[in-house]
Amino acid sequence: DGGSTFIARESNGSYKCSIRDNNRNIEAVLSKTIETIGGDGGGHEHACGAIVPNDIFSEFVEEFKNNLKQKDS
């Protein structure tokens, strides 16, 4: 369907995330989210990854979703 895939697993106090999207520049969305919330990551236009501390993970996911919606508008 061309949507995003966001997979995260918890390990040693942080979440390791893998993000894919065939139609949008997901790296730009990730960079904006990291700037605002924190974490570390990067990658390519359609595939990237991040490491996000447990204490900000929920906020990170919400901000990522908001930034993704803005990218669609």
Side-chain angles (χ1 to χ4, degrees), residues 7-69:
I7 298 170
R9 66 180 173 87
E10 196 274 332
S11 177
N12 299 321
S14 64
Y15 281 88
K16 295 180 181 180
C17 309
S18 178
I19 309 160
R20 305 287 185 268
D21 193 303
N22 291 329
N23 298 315
R24 291 172 280 206
N25 184 344
I26 208 71
E27 197 279 329
V29 174
L30 176 63
S31 291
K32 184 175 181 182
T33 304
I34 289 172
E35 260 181 48
T36 305
I37 303 299
D40 189 31
H44 306 280
E45 185 174 342
H46 299 293
C48 51
I51 298 174
V52 183
N54 286 0
D55 61 334
I56 62 169
F57 183 70
S58 294
E59 188 179 358
F60 182 91
V61 171
E62 287 306 311
E63 183 69 15
F64 184 87
K65 289 193 287 189
N66 288 338
N67 291 335
L68 195 58
K69 286 178 190 172

